[in-house]
Amino acid sequence: MAKSLFLQSVAEQMYAHRYAKRTIETYIKWISSYIHFHQMRHPVQMGDTEVEQYLNHLVNELDVAAGTQASALNALVFLYKEVVKQPLSLKLNFVKSQRQQKLPVVITQLEMRQLLAHVSAQQKLPVSLLYASGLRLMESVRLRVQDIDFDYKSVRVWNGKGGKHRVVTLASELIPDLRRQITLVEQYLHADLANPHYAGVWMPHRLRVKYPQSKSQLGWQYLFPSRQVSVDPETATVRRHHIDETSVRKAVGRAARQAGIKKHVTPHTLRHSFATHLLQSGADIRTVQDQLGHADLRTTQIYTHILQRGGHGVISPFSHL
């Protein structure tokens, strides 16, 4: 991840602060870009002025979106507060991105059926959950076996975007496939426990201490495990991680092309389609907000170009395919 000793030390500090691996990779990317922009000067030799220049460059030359600029700023705030120990000013003066948010790409239910018909069997279930439950890509691949509640037909999402938890709907039609998937996970677990080098599934920091036996229990195993065990970069132990999210992303793109869908379809398109089709079926916008895990209703209102007719229960649009 980090090629220089300095960036490696930053990554280690982020691990110590228990940042997610994906967040660490993003912050390292921005910090490296910042250093290269200033001709390899060390961050200790720079400060508010150089940060402002870099943030201006992102907008004026690269025309990045507001969220992208905010991500870069967050990385530099961490760098100066936790590593350099010289926090940035709270009154930084830089050009803020005014680039308009893109409208979501939404596919029809007919297109969704066509897409699923072309998804490989190995990827079909995680792809289906993106649409059936409105999950983000990483939320889907990080699911654990115990996150599926068959009794209440729901999926528990832990530590989603912004560290928020939520409960989303589960399409009844996926239950048989999910039960078969859990049987596969159980077979993997039996094989792994016979491996003397296997250290159990990765567990969140406090839970690995509080429940030391959970790493070997079925409920905590990833619902979509990788075919191969690998070495955990944090602990250098052998574990079975979840499938690589890029495989799901490629599966969606490939299926969309094979289905002849002309729109630019990504895994997030299926989440957009879930929200739009929920509104079309009569769900209230606040219900959709809860299902998507949006903190602000204004984020959900991007879908209000669809007529709102109000609804009482949440029935997954997957059930109408």
Side-chain angles (χ1 to χ4, degrees):
M1 179 197 305
K3 296 181 179 180
S4 74
L5 291 177
F6 175 72
L7 292 180
Q8 287 177 4
S9 69
V10 174
E12 289 169 1
Q13 289 203 44
M14 293 192 71
Y15 271 120
H17 283 77
R18 297 179 181 175
Y19 280 78
K21 178 185 176 183
R22 207 168 180 79
T23 304
I24 296 174
E25 292 173 348
T26 300
Y27 277 27
I28 293 298
K29 180 194 73 172
W30 286 121
I31 294 170
S32 176
S33 174
Y34 168 69
I35 293 172
H36 279 82
F37 175 75
H38 287 293
Q39 287 75 50
M40 307 303 291
R41 291 172 60 193
H42 197 284
V44 173
Q45 302 171 346
M46 302 185 284
D48 292 351
T49 300
E50 287 77 12
V51 169
E52 291 170 349
Q53 292 171 351
Y54 178 66
L55 295 175
N56 287 338
H57 161 73
L58 292 180
V59 173
N60 295 332
E61 275 74 49
L62 303 184
D63 190 31
V64 302
T68 304
Q69 187 186 40
S71 175
L73 176 58
N74 290 338
L76 298 178
V77 167
F78 174 87
L79 171 67
Y80 280 95
K81 181 180 179 181
E82 304 295 341
V83 181
V84 179
K85 304 298 183 182
Q86 297 175 6
L88 298 173
S89 169
L90 296 178
K91 298 181 180 180
L92 289 176
N93 183 23
F94 58 91
V95 178
K96 294 180 174 59
S97 174
Q98 300 297 320
R99 204 175 87 180
Q100 292 294 313
Q101 182 181 9
K102 292 182 180 178
L103 290 174
V105 175
V106 175
I107 60 177
T108 66
Q109 290 188 322
L110 174 59
E111 289 172 328
M112 189 66 219
R113 283 196 292 270
Q114 294 170 337
L115 184 145
L116 287 175
H118 289 85
V119 175
S120 64
Q122 182 182 356
Q123 304 294 344
K124 192 165 189 176
L125 187 53
V127 170
S128 296
L129 280 172
L130 297 175
Y131 174 72
S133 301
L135 299 181
R136 298 179 178 93
L137 175 57
M138 292 308 299
E139 291 172 346
S140 176
V141 300
R142 286 174 178 164
L143 286 173
R144 310 274 181 147
V145 169
Q146 63 188 13
D147 294 334
I148 306 300
D149 191 327
F150 293 110
D151 295 326
Y152 288 93
K153 294 181 181 178
S154 61
V155 179
R156 287 183 287 268
V157 178
W158 303 95
N159 299 306
K161 189 174 182 179
K164 296 188 291 290
H165 310 320
R166 72 184 192 280
V167 178
V168 299
T169 189
L170 171 64
S172 302
E173 292 76 5
L174 292 181
I175 289 179
D177 289 336
L178 285 167
R179 292 195 183 279
R180 283 191 288 271
Q181 179 66 21
I182 291 173
T183 299
L184 175 63
V185 175
E186 191 170 17
Q187 292 171 355
Y188 274 134
L189 179 59
H190 286 319
D192 290 336
L193 293 178
N195 180 353
H197 301 292
Y198 183 65
V201 72
W202 182 88
M203 295 284 292
H205 295 271
R206 290 303 304 162
L207 291 177
R208 73 178 63 164
V209 176
K210 189 174 183 179
Y211 305 112
Q213 302 304 317
S214 296
K215 62 185 179 182
S216 301
Q217 295 174 353
L218 177 63
W220 278 101
Q221 306 307 304
Y222 286 113
L223 182 63
F224 301 115
S226 171
R227 289 183 175 183
Q228 304 290 334
V229 293
S230 57
V231 177
D232 184 343
E234 183 182 357
T235 61
T237 53
V238 176
R239 303 187 190 279
R240 187 179 296 277
H241 204 50
H242 56 66
I243 58 174
D244 190 336
E245 68 276 9
T246 59
S247 65
V248 180
R249 186 178 294 113
K250 290 177 181 177
V252 170
R254 183 168 53 248
R257 290 190 299 273
Q258 293 173 349
I261 300 174
K262 303 304 181 183
K263 303 168 186 174
H264 179 59
V265 180
T266 69
H268 214 67
T269 302
L270 308 191
R271 176 174 158 89
H272 289 321
S273 302
F274 164 86
T276 303
H277 296 165
L278 267 186
L279 287 171
Q280 285 180 316
S281 67
D284 181 81
I285 191 170
R286 290 198 177 274
T287 300
V288 178
Q289 177 190 6
D290 290 339
Q291 291 288 304
L292 295 177
H294 289 162
D296 194 327
L297 184 62
R298 288 175 295 183
T299 307
T300 316
Q301 286 174 339
I302 195 170
Y303 304 108
T304 55
H305 60 284
I306 301 298
L307 179 65
Q308 300 174 36
R309 290 171 294 179
H312 299 290
V314 177
I315 300 176
S316 171
F318 192 91
S319 300
H320 301 299
L321 293 181

